[in-house]
């Protein structure tokens, strides 16, 4: 591991169970990185309390207070630079992202999505998979490219769909997979084992 650990900013809008999984992994020394900042567009979201419990700095904003998406993203970029952030992890950040954020952090910004991309991008991916009738779904970690869940794929793990699954029972198993997969992918990046070449991501084992 490098002498100065990689400094991460996690972006989240809701419950923050993935944030929690990352923070716990960091606490066990299993992340190879340090969570330096939580960025949220929902100042009242449960994830804020989780960050406070871990003593992690929070930048919370309300999109409505800014004239445009680009305007709040410019402020976020300033915060990221101030905190010397080397990797952005989107973990349930429910906002579209513009070039203001993507351009300076391309290859250094990843997202977790609760489906096997490119199937079921966008919102309610777990419900989309159930309603479509696929027998396998899962979780994907990918680099962010400004499209909707469309960037180069780093890691995927499958979850079988059972005949009696509801959105809740399936979500429980998909989330359990996410909570293992996301910290693992972050560790690979922190250890310098991930190479990005066009759409193709290679992970050195
Ligand atoms: C996670 O399942 C994540 O994959 C999903 O939001 C949930 C956030 O849960 N993200 C997306 O759907 C992005 N398109 P959490 O707040 O408990 O981590």
């Amino acid at each position: 591991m490098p002498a100065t650990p990689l400094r991460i900013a996690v972006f989240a809008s809701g419950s923050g169970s993935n944030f929690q999984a990352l923070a716990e992994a960091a606490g066990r020394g299993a992340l190879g990185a340090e969570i330096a900042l939580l960025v949220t567009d929902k100042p009242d979201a449960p994830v804020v309390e989780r960050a406070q419990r871990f003593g992690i700095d929070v930048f919370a904003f309300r999109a409505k207070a800014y004239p445009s998406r680009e305007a709040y993203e410019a402020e976020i970029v300033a915060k990221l630079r101030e905190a010397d952030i080397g990797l952005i992890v989107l973990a349930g950040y429910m906002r579209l992202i513009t070039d203001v954020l993507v351009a300076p952090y391309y290859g250094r910004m990843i997202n977790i999505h609760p489906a096997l991309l490119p199937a079921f991008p966008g919102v309610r991916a777990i419900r989309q998979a159930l309603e479509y009738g696929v027998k396998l779904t899962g979780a994907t970690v990918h680099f962010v490219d400004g499209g909707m869940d469309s960037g180069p794929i780093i890691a995927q793990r499958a979850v079988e769909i059972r005949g009696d699954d509801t959105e809740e029972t399936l979500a429980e198993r998909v989330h359990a997979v996410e909570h293992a997969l996301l910290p693992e992918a972050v560790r690979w990046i922190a250890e310098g084992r991930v190479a990005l070449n066009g759409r193709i991501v290679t992970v050195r084992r």
Side-chain angles (χ1 to χ4, degrees):
M1 224 212 293
T4 323
L6 179 66
R7 289 170 63 79
I8 295 178
V10 180
F11 287 38
S13 303
S15 148
S17 68
N18 279 286
F19 173 88
Q20 176 95 21
L22 289 165
E24 285 174 3
R28 293 194 299 274
L31 203 59
E34 179 186 332
I35 304 178
L37 186 65
L38 168 74
V39 174
T40 184
D41 59 324
K42 297 278 187 290
D44 304 321
V47 68
V48 172
E49 226 180 279
R50 294 193 201 251
Q52 286 163 347
R53 253 184 272 135
F54 281 94
I56 293 168
D57 285 348
V58 177
F59 174 59
F61 67 96
R62 289 190 199 274
K64 276 197 205 131
Y66 296 81
S68 66
R69 197 171 271 152
E70 286 78 2
Y72 65 70
E73 284 190 356
E75 194 166 332
I76 292 173
V77 168
K79 299 279 178 203
L80 297 173
R81 295 213 163 113
E82 213 177 279
D84 196 19
I85 297 301
L87 179 71
I88 298 172
V89 180
L90 307 185
Y93 180 66
M94 295 308 193
R95 291 200 158 264
L96 288 175
I97 282 178
T98 78
D99 248 8
V100 171
L101 204 52
V102 176
Y105 288 95
Y106 186 74
R108 297 189 298 150
M109 173 159 38
I110 65 174
N111 178 46
I112 177 98
H113 183 74
L116 293 176
L117 291 171
F120 312 122
V123 293
R124 310 221 73 154
I126 294 171
R127 183 196 283 189
Q128 287 186 59
L130 255 187
E131 288 180 347
Y132 195 93
V134 291
K135 304 303 181 209
L136 265 188
T137 187
T140 302
V141 178
H142 64 92
F143 284 112
V144 174
D145 68 356
M148 171 75 84
D149 301 315
S150 59
I153 291 171
I154 302 165
Q156 293 189 298
R157 201 156 290 161
V159 172
E160 242 181 276
I161 298 183
R162 300 173 186 151
D164 60 351
D165 261 330
T166 62
E167 195 176 344
E168 289 67 37
T169 59
L170 180 56
E172 207 172 300
R173 298 202 305 289
V174 170
H175 287 146
V177 162
E178 289 188 319
H179 298 162
L181 190 64
L182 184 57
E184 207 174 319
V186 167
R187 182 166 48 81
W188 297 340
I189 293 171
E191 291 173 351
R193 289 158 58 194
V194 176
L196 172 59
N197 190 356
R199 264 219 72 86
I200 304 303
V201 178
T202 323
V203 181
R204 202 161 29 81
R205 305 280 161 179

